[in-house]
Amino acid sequence: MRLLSYNIHKGIGGRDRRYRLDRVIQVVEQENPDLICLQEVDRQVARTRHDDQPRRFVEAFHPADHLYQLNVKLKEGGYGNLVLSRWPFQAHHQVSLRLKRRKPRGAQMFVVATPEGPLHLVHWHLGLAEKERHWQAEHLLQHALFREGSHLPTLIVGDFNDWRNTLGPGVLGRGGFRQLTSPRSRFRSFPAYFPVTAIDKAFTRGGLIVRQARIAHSRLARDASDHLPLVIDFHIDPPQA
């Protein structure tokens, strides 16, 4: 099974600043993922020609299930997180990760009915301040809706904005999570045209077997957004009798 996590920067190229969502769709298509986790997805915003980007992704990939989370509301439209899945959701929740008056942030939680068994998937886009990120991670791990699926194999992905890599040995490490995106030197994803920092991350807990985790470095990916996509190939470890 393959998951792709990608901050698409609203479909605006990080270097040429051109809005071309077709480039992002092609980058995703090249990887052929079963689970697509996207951050900074616009809907009805002037800068992106009032496109309904969630609808365009659904039309491009025909998922069995999908869910959009509008986090930041603008004068016209807004942007947020989008998950598309080749398999149906058995359950899904969306929670706010907004701390006081900071920019609205959110997390999406799913139990995905994969062919290998249920997967507990968490998808988020964390804040820019370190204390904010630690509060957000702690808030999510303590949330009653998160605990509903915490007995299942769990995968947390997204734009962590954790450039100092403190969540791994901190909140997530204490929660029993293992970082897949280490060492940081192998997972530099931002800025896409000359990546120097690793802020697109993945953590796992429970019965997951990860075959490979990598950053996609195609020429098109370097132009399509200001982030490079993270790709994870994995299996669910069957429970032992």
Side-chain angles (χ1 to χ4, degrees):
M1 299 185 289
R2 174 168 290 180
L3 178 146
L4 178 141
S5 176
Y6 192 11
N7 184 327
I8 69 167
H9 195 231
K10 302 98 178 173
I12 299 170
R15 183 158 46 179
D16 63 18
R17 309 298 298 173
R18 295 171 61 197
Y19 172 56
R20 285 188 51 193
L21 196 64
D22 60 294
R23 294 189 295 194
V24 171
I25 290 172
Q26 188 176 345
V27 168
V28 175
E29 191 171 32
Q30 286 174 348
E31 298 298 335
N32 191 28
D34 302 299
L35 295 161
I36 304 169
C37 300
L38 306 177
Q39 307 96 50
E40 294 196 10
V41 180
D42 266 2
R43 186 169 66 184
Q44 308 294 346
V45 181
R47 68 185 166 210
T48 49
R49 304 172 192 164
H50 295 99
D51 265 357
D52 185 342
Q53 292 186 347
R55 179 184 58 80
R56 288 192 59 185
F57 280 107
V58 168
E59 290 174 349
F61 295 106
H62 306 287
D65 224 333
H66 69 279
L67 188 65
Y68 180 61
Q69 181 183 40
L70 179 65
N71 291 320
V72 181
K73 295 180 181 179
L74 306 174
K75 186 176 180 180
E76 293 182 286
Y79 63 95
N81 303 327
L82 175 66
V83 169
L84 305 102
S85 172
R86 194 182 299 274
W87 309 295
F89 303 142
Q90 292 179 346
H92 60 79
H93 304 291
Q94 303 197 122
V95 300
S96 171
L97 295 180
R98 187 176 193 179
L99 177 61
K100 298 179 181 178
R101 298 177 64 85
R102 293 186 181 273
K103 178 188 285 191
R105 304 280 181 174
Q108 300 175 289
M109 294 178 284
F110 307 88
V111 177
V112 185
T114 82
E116 299 181 7
L119 168 70
H120 188 212
L121 173 64
V122 178
H123 174 228
W124 63 18
H125 186 181
L126 300 185
L128 297 176
E130 188 164 304
K131 288 184 179 179
E132 176 188 12
R133 293 191 294 272
H134 281 255
W135 177 88
Q136 289 168 330
E138 189 73 50
H139 179 72
L140 190 282
L141 295 188
Q142 297 301 320
H143 202 288
L145 295 176
F146 173 81
R147 293 201 297 270
E148 285 183 9
S150 60
H151 62 289
L152 297 171
T154 301
L155 185 59
I156 303 179
V157 300
D159 182 348
F160 284 58
N161 274 316
D162 183 23
W163 61 276
R164 293 208 314 137
N165 211 44
T166 60
L167 286 172
V171 175
L172 294 176
R174 293 194 300 271
F177 283 90
R178 175 174 66 93
Q179 185 170 351
L180 302 180
T181 46
S182 63
R184 283 181 287 172
S185 59
R186 287 183 46 221
F187 292 94
R188 294 174 180 146
S189 59
F190 180 85
Y193 52 86
F194 189 74
V196 296
T197 188
I199 56 178
D200 299 279
K201 300 179 185 288
F203 286 77
T204 183
R205 185 177 72 182
L208 284 182
I209 300 172
V210 178
R211 291 175 46 226
Q212 180 180 229
R214 60 181 171 84
I215 298 295
H217 285 279
S218 71
R219 171 62 186 271
L220 186 62
R222 292 198 297 270
D223 292 337
S225 172
D226 62 348
H227 285 242
L228 295 172
L230 169 65
V231 180
I232 302 166
D233 293 322
F234 68 98
H235 293 289
I236 293 177
D237 193 8
Q240 301 300 310

